[in-house]
Amino acid sequence: MAGKIKNNPTKERSLGKIMLAVFIPFIFLGVLAWVALTLSGMNVSKQVGKAASAIPGLSTITSSNEAESTGDTSDRLEAALANKEAEISQLKQEASDKESLMEEKDRQILQLQADLEEASQPSVQEEEAEDSVKDLALSFREMDAEDAAPILQEMNQDKAVLVLKEITNKERGTILGAMESAAAAEIAVRLMDE
């Protein structure tokens, strides 16, 4: 009996050695093949999952893992979709705000253009004032310088300058020469300034 007991542990050891000698190279070859296929561009995990789902006992395990994975993916995609929808609605609101601002600016531009046109067109009063200055200047052209000088001397200097601007240099010189020197000097300086 003692011989039988000694024989069993050695058989178990030799069986263990044989198992290690067989399985270690298979494991090494499996890992090496996995790395080589992955480097070649193949999705090894997906292919192994497909092969496992074809095996009757493993198909229920892999399908439940895929369902959990699909559920997680679905939840992530729904959350991402909700984020994108919120971002889209925010961008639509910003676009609407900017369109409103642009419409307001367009209205302001149109109003400013209308104001500019109105301001650039001489008013009726300005046109009448210019016409009256021209008529008065025509009257002074026809007068003698001795008669025109005292009248211009007594007028408001601004108006006298406007009238003298409408007549020729020769006529202006003659009228200024007939004026008193102080008044003529003031009007001449105002003429030079304008």
Side-chain angles (χ1 to χ4, degrees), residues 42-86:
M42 179 184 240
N43 189 350
V44 178
S45 301
K46 188 175 182 181
Q47 296 299 326
V48 169
K50 283 182 184 178
S53 67
I55 300 172
L58 292 176
S59 65
T60 56
I61 296 172
T62 58
S63 64
S64 66
N65 286 343
E66 286 177 8
E68 289 175 9
S69 173
T70 304
D72 292 343
T73 304
S74 175
D75 291 342
R76 280 189 310 215
L77 290 175
E78 286 176 8
L81 181 62
N83 287 340
K84 292 296 181 184
E85 286 175 351

Side-chain angles (χ1 to χ4, degrees), residues 89-106:
S89 68
Q90 180 184 1
L91 289 173
K92 283 182 180 178
Q93 181 62 38
E94 288 177 11
S96 174
D97 292 345
K98 288 185 180 188
E99 284 178 11
S100 299
L101 182 64
M102 284 176 50
E103 288 173 2
E104 177 64 27
K105 295 296 181 187
D106 286 342

